[in-house]
Amino acid sequence: MGPTMINGLPAHVLILHFVVVAVPLAAIALVVCVVSTTWLRRLGVVLPLFALLTLITVPITTHAGEWLQDRVADTPLVVKHTNLGDTLLPWVAALFAVTVVVWWFGRRAMLKSAAEVRTGGHGGRPPVRGSIALGTPVRTVAIVLSVVVAAGSIVTLVRIGDSGAKAAWTGQFSEKPVSQGSADR
């Protein structure tokens, strides 16, 4: 399903860096776009495409992690990290789904607004300028849903990363320099 080794290193420890950057970036972009229609217009289809790329990399990273798990000691910290790692995909899938919905409604509203401006058919009220929702309740639901999915994705990612760092580094270093030469650096 993806690489397990890259240049002699376990792929998991390399690929995870994309996920660590992409998930919060996609989550923050979603919230910014759902709140600011200016940013939604600027990003356009890039928003759901980036969320899709992020979604695709999660199972690739998980697969590489499962490969690595079979090659390290089966400690409670590794098991905890593995179990937590399986919880990210649903959050990122929801993040992707919400970005698609936000983009779609924003696109429809922008097209409607452009048509109203061309035809003068906005009935005396100001034309919609890229608003993602037809009314305040829908917009409110979109904002709340976006914030919940973004926060859930980021919090889950932080918990997974913390458990992975503990699994990799607990008992693997000394608080004091182990050689005289390294203390001078």
Side-chain angles (χ1 to χ4, degrees):
M1 169 180 225
T4 54
M5 296 275 295
I6 298 174
N7 200 26
L9 294 173
H12 180 72
V13 299
L14 300 171
I15 300 170
L16 71 86
H17 290 91
F18 179 82
V19 174
V20 166
V21 172
V23 169
L25 192 56
I28 291 167
L30 170 61
V31 172
V32 167
C33 286
V34 80
V35 171
S36 169
T37 56
T38 301
W39 277 101
L40 182 58
R41 279 193 306 274
R42 285 181 183 170
L43 288 179
V45 74
V46 171
L47 177 67
L49 288 177
F50 184 68
L52 176 62
L53 179 61
T54 303
L55 176 61
I56 290 168
T57 60
V58 170
I60 292 170
T61 305
T62 304
H63 170 73
E66 290 167 351
W67 178 89
L68 180 59
Q69 181 187 14
D70 292 339
R71 285 151 182 84
V72 298
D74 197 23
T75 67
L77 292 174
V78 169
V79 171
K80 179 179 179 182
H81 175 64
T82 303
N83 290 339
L84 283 173
D86 291 335
T87 64
L88 185 59
L89 187 59
W91 282 107
V92 178
L95 182 70
F96 169 66
V98 174
T99 61
V100 169
V101 170
V102 166
W103 169 76
W104 178 255
F105 277 107
R107 182 177 173 275
R108 286 187 56 207
M110 285 181 255
L111 291 174
K112 180 179 176 187
S113 176
E116 288 174 350
V117 168
R118 275 194 311 275
T119 63
H122 45 82
R125 59 183 166 30
V128 177
R129 298 220 189 282
S131 173
I132 66 154
L134 301 174
T136 303
V138 175
R139 183 173 173 85
T140 302
V141 167
I143 290 170
V144 169
L145 188 59
S146 296
V147 169
V148 167
V149 168
S153 298
I154 292 171
V155 167
T156 301
L157 182 71
V158 169
R159 292 181 65 220
I160 295 165
D162 179 63
S163 70
K166 287 178 180 171
W169 290 102
T170 298
Q172 299 300 314
F173 69 97
S174 173
E175 291 184 26
K176 297 179 184 176
V178 292
S179 70
Q180 192 65 7
S182 64
D184 296 334
R185 290 185 203 162

